[in-house]
Amino acid sequence: MEELSPGIFVVPTIALTLVILGYLYFAKRVKDRGEYRRFVFAVAVTSFVLNFVWELVQGPLYEGFEYDLKHISFCALASVADMLMVFILLFAFGLIYKNVFWIKSMDVNKVLLLMFVGFSGAILAEVLHTLRGDWSYAYTMPLLPVVDVGISPVIQFTILPWLIFMIGDKYKKGN
């Protein structure tokens, strides 16, 4: 991990703006706002927690990572950015399917599309961040051939969004 630069905050700022707009858009269109708020809250908490744990576990696969306040704080910041990206997926698919609760009618095609978008987005993000020098991989990080990005962060965004949405869906009715 390199030092934090102002540039590393640009994409999360754009992401936060998109998430707020997505939240407001769907808040006006749902029948039960309480259910919607519970769902969004469950997705937010689940996303942050699962991504934070993943970031901490994969930390040693990054150059210079240590379990100190600086690196754990960076993992927390990355988890907030990950959470925003999960919401962008949720709201983007909500626009496509014309329903923010699209996860309720999950089928194999939706799961595969979500996983493909997460996989592709993770590759793009990793390429951009490693090129900018925001972080670099330790020799222990397994790399995807051709694109030379870490397998761990790609698996993270291929699998976790689906899992997060499934957990969030369980809690939207206050179960």
Side-chain angles (χ1 to χ4, degrees), residues 50-111:
L50 291 180
N51 279 294
F52 186 59
V53 169
W54 193 291
E55 295 289 349
L56 290 173
V57 170
Q58 76 176 349
L61 299 174
Y62 288 86
E63 189 67 38
F65 182 85
E66 296 178 25
Y67 287 102
D68 58 12
L69 182 60
K70 176 183 172 183
H71 290 93
I72 291 171
S73 298
F74 188 84
C75 287
L77 178 62
S79 299
V80 169
D82 294 339
M83 178 183 66
L84 294 175
M85 299 313 286
V86 165
F87 274 114
I88 288 173
L89 287 172
L90 174 70
F91 294 138
F93 278 82
L95 289 171
I96 291 166
Y97 298 124
K98 297 179 178 39
N99 181 358
V100 74
F101 298 125
W102 59 270
I103 195 76
K104 194 69 174 166
S105 62
M106 246 342 200
D107 59 25
V108 173
N109 290 331
K110 286 180 183 175
V111 171

Side-chain angles (χ1 to χ4, degrees), residues 25-39:
Y25 176 83
F26 285 109
K28 293 178 181 178
R29 285 160 179 78
V30 295
K31 292 178 184 172
D32 184 340
R33 287 193 180 162
E35 177 183 49
Y36 178 64
R37 283 192 300 271
R38 284 188 299 275
F39 177 60

